[in-house]
Amino acid sequence: MKKIAIAGGGPGGLTLARLLQVNNFDVTVYERDTHRGVRVQGATLDLHQDTGLAALRAAGLMDAFNAAYRPGADRMRVVDRDARVHYEDAFEGDRPEIDRGPLRDLLLDSLKPDTVAWNRQCVSLTPIGAGWTLHFQDGSAAEADLVVVADGANSRLRPYVTPIKPIYSGYAAVEGAAYEGAPRMSALVNGGKVFALADSKTLIVGAKGDGSLAFYAAFAAPGNANFTGIGSAWFQQTFPGWDPVWLELFDKGPLTPRPFYYMPLDQSWPAHPNITLIGDAAHLMPPYAGEGVNMAMLDALQLATHLTHNPDAQQAIAAYESAMLPRAAATTADTLDQTAWMHAPGALERMVRMFR
């Protein structure tokens, strides 16, 4: 009956909280957002049968998922830089799509009242007895017997588990969203996703349930690449020769540089008795295999299972990490391979061949 603190309220952390509460654990999620509606959630996610959906089934949330996912959102088109369609498919039902917002809502709604402590970004930890004191950005603190670090790609707490640092992949993207003023792009996306590949670059656009479009414009870039002044002029300079239809996506809202990092494939550390990692904090990787949220939710499922069936926390953590680390390494290797060929000459032809 240890008191468990989960640092981070993303899909992995919330899934873990639900699975632990189903098994009567005392758990609190500490989340940096000031409240659940404070910011727009990101792009649509495809959940996989043996990872993300397996976690939701174990959590008893498939009815809620079936009410919230978006049928038809798995439609996909592969196009060139002139927006000419080279391949399209519906992919009905195998990997159902759900927006991040509804996924977060169904997980939050499944938790006991006051499980999530909002406006509590954990910035440091101090050992206290066999547990930890969590220190938050606002100056407050809390205590826990076990800490699960789920604070994402730029984790503040990962160093308490391991000093191993992420590696720059050599690729970066500019992320943005268009909420209006993109009629041609909306027609091309048609409620699903568009993959544009040309000139060793990619532009991936996905529709959300609210009618907006989320996108990544990605390319090989040095680690010190300058992203100041990103907008339509930047796109025309960085993606020369691309059809003006893509300009509908730019200057519609904030654009965010996203250099892509990954964790070393051979990372390992001795299991701790009172702290572990899940999600991007454990195994950060680029987004080009659609595995990030699925891996995080599978982490939650496997960690919850070990904690439930093993009364010794260190043994449970060791069992979880001994399976998680090689699984993450294999998925990261596949993701890096896919990232590289998608941003190499001939990527359009290769993707079309792959789907056909």
PDB file of all heavy atoms in Angstrom, residues 307-329:
ATOM      1  N   LEU A 307       3.720  -4.196 -10.459  1.00  0.00           N
ATOM      2  CA  LEU A 307       3.496  -3.661  -9.121  1.00  0.00           C
ATOM      3  C   LEU A 307       2.335  -4.364  -8.426  1.00  0.00           C
ATOM      4  O   LEU A 307       2.350  -4.538  -7.200  1.00  0.00           O
ATOM      5  CB  LEU A 307       3.227  -2.155  -9.199  1.00  0.00           C
ATOM      6  CG  LEU A 307       4.427  -1.271  -9.563  1.00  0.00           C
ATOM      7  CD1 LEU A 307       3.970   0.164  -9.791  1.00  0.00           C
ATOM      8  CD2 LEU A 307       5.500  -1.315  -8.483  1.00  0.00           C
ATOM      9  N   THR A 308       1.348  -4.770  -9.206  1.00  0.00           N
ATOM     10  CA  THR A 308       0.180  -5.435  -8.623  1.00  0.00           C
ATOM     11  C   THR A 308       0.513  -6.841  -8.144  1.00  0.00           C
ATOM     12  O   THR A 308       0.022  -7.289  -7.098  1.00  0.00           O
ATOM     13  CB  THR A 308      -0.957  -5.491  -9.662  1.00  0.00           C
ATOM     14  OG1 THR A 308      -1.324  -4.159 -10.033  1.00  0.00           O
ATOM     15  CG2 THR A 308      -2.174  -6.204  -9.104  1.00  0.00           C
ATOM     16  N   HIS A 309       1.379  -7.541  -8.868  1.00  0.00           N
ATOM     17  CA  HIS A 309       1.610  -8.952  -8.577  1.00  0.00           C
ATOM     18  C   HIS A 309       2.901  -9.220  -7.818  1.00  0.00           C
ATOM     19  O   HIS A 309       3.179 -10.368  -7.465  1.00  0.00           O
ATOM     20  CB  HIS A 309       1.603  -9.752  -9.878  1.00  0.00           C
ATOM     21  CG  HIS A 309       0.270  -9.757 -10.560  1.00  0.00           C
ATOM     22  ND1 HIS A 309      -0.837 -10.392 -10.035  1.00  0.00           N
ATOM     23  CD2 HIS A 309      -0.152  -9.173 -11.714  1.00  0.00           C
ATOM     24  CE1 HIS A 309      -1.873 -10.230 -10.838  1.00  0.00           C
ATOM     25  NE2 HIS A 309      -1.484  -9.476 -11.863  1.00  0.00           N
ATOM     26  N   ASN A 310       3.691  -8.191  -7.546  1.00  0.00           N
ATOM     27  CA  ASN A 310       4.934  -8.391  -6.806  1.00  0.00           C
ATOM     28  C   ASN A 310       4.973  -7.400  -5.647  1.00  0.00           C
ATOM     29  O   ASN A 310       5.071  -6.193  -5.865  1.00  0.00           O
ATOM     30  CB  ASN A 310       6.148  -8.187  -7.720  1.00  0.00           C
ATOM     31  CG  ASN A 310       7.436  -8.691  -7.085  1.00  0.00           C
ATOM     32  OD1 ASN A 310       7.590  -8.657  -5.864  1.00  0.00           O
ATOM     33  ND2 ASN A 310       8.355  -9.158  -7.909  1.00  0.00           N
ATOM     34  N   PRO A 311       4.925  -7.859  -4.411  1.00  0.00           N
ATOM     35  CA  PRO A 311       4.889  -6.931  -3.275  1.00  0.00           C
ATOM     36  C   PRO A 311       6.210  -6.218  -3.027  1.00  0.00           C
ATOM     37  O   PRO A 311       6.242  -5.245  -2.278  1.00  0.00           O
ATOM     38  CB  PRO A 311       4.537  -7.848  -2.099  1.00  0.00           C
ATOM     39  CG  PRO A 311       5.021  -9.206  -2.515  1.00  0.00           C
ATOM     40  CD  PRO A 311       4.821  -9.270  -3.996  1.00  0.00           C
ATOM     41  N   ASP A 312       7.294  -6.680  -3.645  1.00  0.00           N
ATOM     42  CA  ASP A 312       8.581  -6.017  -3.498  1.00  0.00           C
ATOM     43  C   ASP A 312       8.745  -5.014  -4.637  1.00  0.00           C
ATOM     44  O   ASP A 312       8.853  -5.406  -5.804  1.00  0.00           O
ATOM     45  CB  ASP A 312       9.714  -7.040  -3.517  1.00  0.00           C
ATOM     46  CG  ASP A 312      11.069  -6.402  -3.262  1.00  0.00           C
ATOM     47  OD1 ASP A 312      11.601  -5.761  -4.208  1.00  0.00           O
ATOM     48  OD2 ASP A 312      11.590  -6.526  -2.154  1.00  0.00           O
ATOM     49  N   ALA A 313       8.781  -3.725  -4.308  1.00  0.00           N
ATOM     50  CA  ALA A 313       8.778  -2.686  -5.342  1.00  0.00           C
ATOM     51  C   ALA A 313      10.003  -2.778  -6.234  1.00  0.00           C
ATOM     52  O   ALA A 313       9.903  -2.630  -7.463  1.00  0.00           O
ATOM     53  CB  ALA A 313       8.695  -1.307  -4.695  1.00  0.00           C
ATOM     54  N   GLN A 314      11.176  -3.020  -5.654  1.00  0.00           N
ATOM     55  CA  GLN A 314      12.380  -3.075  -6.480  1.00  0.00           C
ATOM     56  C   GLN A 314      12.335  -4.254  -7.440  1.00  0.00           C
ATOM     57  O   GLN A 314      12.747  -4.132  -8.598  1.00  0.00           O
ATOM     58  CB  GLN A 314      13.636  -3.146  -5.618  1.00  0.00           C
ATOM     59  CG  GLN A 314      14.924  -3.042  -6.441  1.00  0.00           C
ATOM     60  CD  GLN A 314      16.132  -2.734  -5.600  1.00  0.00           C
ATOM     61  OE1 GLN A 314      16.095  -2.801  -4.372  1.00  0.00           O
ATOM     62  NE2 GLN A 314      17.235  -2.358  -6.246  1.00  0.00           N
ATOM     63  N   GLN A 315      11.837  -5.400  -6.986  1.00  0.00           N
ATOM     64  CA  GLN A 315      11.705  -6.544  -7.881  1.00  0.00           C
ATOM     65  C   GLN A 315      10.704  -6.249  -8.998  1.00  0.00           C
ATOM     66  O   GLN A 315      10.920  -6.627 -10.157  1.00  0.00           O
ATOM     67  CB  GLN A 315      11.274  -7.780  -7.097  1.00  0.00           C
ATOM     68  CG  GLN A 315      12.334  -8.323  -6.152  1.00  0.00           C
ATOM     69  CD  GLN A 315      11.861  -9.536  -5.381  1.00  0.00           C
ATOM     70  OE1 GLN A 315      10.800 -10.099  -5.670  1.00  0.00           O
ATOM     71  NE2 GLN A 315      12.633  -9.955  -4.384  1.00  0.00           N
ATOM     72  N   ALA A 316       9.612  -5.575  -8.661  1.00  0.00           N
ATOM     73  CA  ALA A 316       8.615  -5.221  -9.674  1.00  0.00           C
ATOM     74  C   ALA A 316       9.214  -4.261 -10.701  1.00  0.00           C
ATOM     75  O   ALA A 316       9.026  -4.425 -11.912  1.00  0.00           O
ATOM     76  CB  ALA A 316       7.390  -4.600  -9.015  1.00  0.00           C
ATOM     77  N   ILE A 317       9.944  -3.258 -10.225  1.00  0.00           N
ATOM     78  CA  ILE A 317      10.574  -2.297 -11.137  1.00  0.00           C
ATOM     79  C   ILE A 317      11.617  -2.987 -12.001  1.00  0.00           C
ATOM     80  O   ILE A 317      11.705  -2.735 -13.214  1.00  0.00           O
ATOM     81  CB  ILE A 317      11.188  -1.139 -10.323  1.00  0.00           C
ATOM     82  CG1 ILE A 317      10.076  -0.261  -9.741  1.00  0.00           C
ATOM     83  CG2 ILE A 317      12.125  -0.297 -11.196  1.00  0.00           C
ATOM     84  CD1 ILE A 317      10.562   0.757  -8.727  1.00  0.00           C
ATOM     85  N   ALA A 318      12.409  -3.876 -11.414  1.00  0.00           N
ATOM     86  CA  ALA A 318      13.428  -4.587 -12.183  1.00  0.00           C
ATOM     87  C   ALA A 318      12.797  -5.443 -13.269  1.00  0.00           C
ATOM     88  O   ALA A 318      13.293  -5.492 -14.414  1.00  0.00           O
ATOM     89  CB  ALA A 318      14.276  -5.448 -11.254  1.00  0.00           C
ATOM     90  N   ALA A 319      11.710  -6.125 -12.948  1.00  0.00           N
ATOM     91  CA  ALA A 319      11.033  -6.957 -13.943  1.00  0.00           C
ATOM     92  C   ALA A 319      10.466  -6.101 -15.078  1.00  0.00           C
ATOM     93  O   ALA A 319      10.573  -6.451 -16.264  1.00  0.00           O
ATOM     94  CB  ALA A 319       9.929  -7.777 -13.277  1.00  0.00           C
ATOM     95  N   TYR A 320       9.869  -4.964 -14.718  1.00  0.00           N
ATOM     96  CA  TYR A 320       9.339  -4.048 -15.736  1.00  0.00           C
ATOM     97  C   TYR A 320      10.449  -3.519 -16.629  1.00  0.00           C
ATOM     98  O   TYR A 320      10.362  -3.573 -17.867  1.00  0.00           O
ATOM     99  CB  TYR A 320       8.600  -2.900 -15.046  1.00  0.00           C
ATOM    100  CG  TYR A 320       8.516  -1.641 -15.877  1.00  0.00           C
ATOM    101  CD1 TYR A 320       7.722  -1.583 -17.017  1.00  0.00           C
ATOM    102  CD2 TYR A 320       9.264  -0.505 -15.525  1.00  0.00           C
ATOM    103  CE1 TYR A 320       7.672  -0.430 -17.785  1.00  0.00           C
ATOM    104  CE2 TYR A 320       9.206   0.645 -16.275  1.00  0.00           C
ATOM    105  CZ  TYR A 320       8.407   0.679 -17.410  1.00  0.00           C
ATOM    106  OH  TYR A 320       8.358   1.816 -18.176  1.00  0.00           O
ATOM    107  N   GLU A 321      11.537  -3.010 -16.033  1.00  0.00           N
ATOM    108  CA  GLU A 321      12.594  -2.392 -16.822  1.00  0.00           C
ATOM    109  C   GLU A 321      13.355  -3.406 -17.665  1.00  0.00           C
ATOM    110  O   GLU A 321      13.815  -3.083 -18.772  1.00  0.00           O
ATOM    111  CB  GLU A 321      13.553  -1.631 -15.905  1.00  0.00           C
ATOM    112  CG  GLU A 321      12.908  -0.387 -15.282  1.00  0.00           C
ATOM    113  CD  GLU A 321      13.828   0.359 -14.337  1.00  0.00           C
ATOM    114  OE1 GLU A 321      14.896  -0.179 -13.991  1.00  0.00           O
ATOM    115  OE2 GLU A 321      13.471   1.490 -13.939  1.00  0.00           O
ATOM    116  N   SER A 322      13.490  -4.635 -17.180  1.00  0.00           N
ATOM    117  CA  SER A 322      14.222  -5.646 -17.947  1.00  0.00           C
ATOM    118  C   SER A 322      13.502  -6.006 -19.232  1.00  0.00           C
ATOM    119  O   SER A 322      14.129  -6.451 -20.204  1.00  0.00           O
ATOM    120  CB  SER A 322      14.437  -6.902 -17.101  1.00  0.00           C
ATOM    121  OG  SER A 322      13.207  -7.557 -16.835  1.00  0.00           O
ATOM    122  N   ALA A 323      12.195  -5.818 -19.277  1.00  0.00           N
ATOM    123  CA  ALA A 323      11.434  -6.034 -20.517  1.00  0.00           C
ATOM    124  C   ALA A 323      11.291  -4.742 -21.310  1.00  0.00           C
ATOM    125  O   ALA A 323      11.343  -4.736 -22.546  1.00  0.00           O
ATOM    126  CB  ALA A 323      10.064  -6.608 -20.196  1.00  0.00           C
ATOM    127  N   MET A 324      11.109  -3.615 -20.615  1.00  0.00           N
ATOM    128  CA  MET A 324      10.877  -2.339 -21.291  1.00  0.00           C
ATOM    129  C   MET A 324      12.084  -1.891 -22.104  1.00  0.00           C
ATOM    130  O   MET A 324      11.940  -1.426 -23.247  1.00  0.00           O
ATOM    131  CB  MET A 324      10.516  -1.272 -20.255  1.00  0.00           C
ATOM    132  CG  MET A 324      10.311   0.126 -20.818  1.00  0.00           C
ATOM    133  SD  MET A 324      11.839   1.125 -20.861  1.00  0.00           S
ATOM    134  CE  MET A 324      12.089   1.457 -19.114  1.00  0.00           C
ATOM    135  N   LEU A 325      13.288  -2.017 -21.547  1.00  0.00           N
ATOM    136  CA  LEU A 325      14.469  -1.473 -22.215  1.00  0.00           C
ATOM    137  C   LEU A 325      14.756  -2.147 -23.556  1.00  0.00           C
ATOM    138  O   LEU A 325      14.952  -1.453 -24.560  1.00  0.00           O
ATOM    139  CB  LEU A 325      15.676  -1.529 -21.280  1.00  0.00           C
ATOM    140  CG  LEU A 325      15.630  -0.511 -20.133  1.00  0.00           C
ATOM    141  CD1 LEU A 325      16.704  -0.801 -19.091  1.00  0.00           C
ATOM    142  CD2 LEU A 325      15.787   0.911 -20.668  1.00  0.00           C
ATOM    143  N   PRO A 326      14.793  -3.478 -23.658  1.00  0.00           N
ATOM    144  CA  PRO A 326      15.013  -4.071 -24.989  1.00  0.00           C
ATOM    145  C   PRO A 326      13.850  -3.841 -25.944  1.00  0.00           C
ATOM    146  O   PRO A 326      14.059  -3.681 -27.151  1.00  0.00           O
ATOM    147  CB  PRO A 326      15.214  -5.561 -24.692  1.00  0.00           C
ATOM    148  CG  PRO A 326      14.658  -5.788 -23.340  1.00  0.00           C
ATOM    149  CD  PRO A 326      14.821  -4.502 -22.600  1.00  0.00           C
ATOM    150  N   ARG A 327      12.634  -3.797 -25.415  1.00  0.00           N
ATOM    151  CA  ARG A 327      11.480  -3.486 -26.283  1.00  0.00           C
ATOM    152  C   ARG A 327      11.610  -2.086 -26.858  1.00  0.00           C
ATOM    153  O   ARG A 327      11.397  -1.858 -28.060  1.00  0.00           O
ATOM    154  CB  ARG A 327      10.191  -3.620 -25.462  1.00  0.00           C
ATOM    155  CG  ARG A 327       8.959  -3.015 -26.117  1.00  0.00           C
ATOM    156  CD  ARG A 327       7.691  -3.341 -25.364  1.00  0.00           C
ATOM    157  NE  ARG A 327       7.679  -2.933 -23.984  1.00  0.00           N
ATOM    158  CZ  ARG A 327       7.366  -1.714 -23.548  1.00  0.00           C
ATOM    159  NH1 ARG A 327       7.065  -0.758 -24.423  1.00  0.00           N
ATOM    160  NH2 ARG A 327       7.348  -1.435 -22.248  1.00  0.00           N
ATOM    161  N   ALA A 328      11.981  -1.130 -26.013  1.00  0.00           N
ATOM    162  CA  ALA A 328      12.153   0.248 -26.464  1.00  0.00           C
ATOM    163  C   ALA A 328      13.302   0.360 -27.451  1.00  0.00           C
ATOM    164  O   ALA A 328      13.220   1.113 -28.429  1.00  0.00           O
ATOM    165  CB  ALA A 328      12.384   1.162 -25.270  1.00  0.00           C
ATOM    166  N   ALA A 329      14.391  -0.384 -27.222  1.00  0.00           N
ATOM    167  CA  ALA A 329      15.536  -0.325 -28.129  1.00  0.00           C
ATOM    168  C   ALA A 329      15.149  -0.811 -29.519  1.00  0.00           C
ATOM    169  O   ALA A 329      15.520  -0.202 -30.534  1.00  0.00           O
ATOM    170  CB  ALA A 329      16.688  -1.159 -27.571  1.00  0.00           C
TER     171      ALA A 329
END
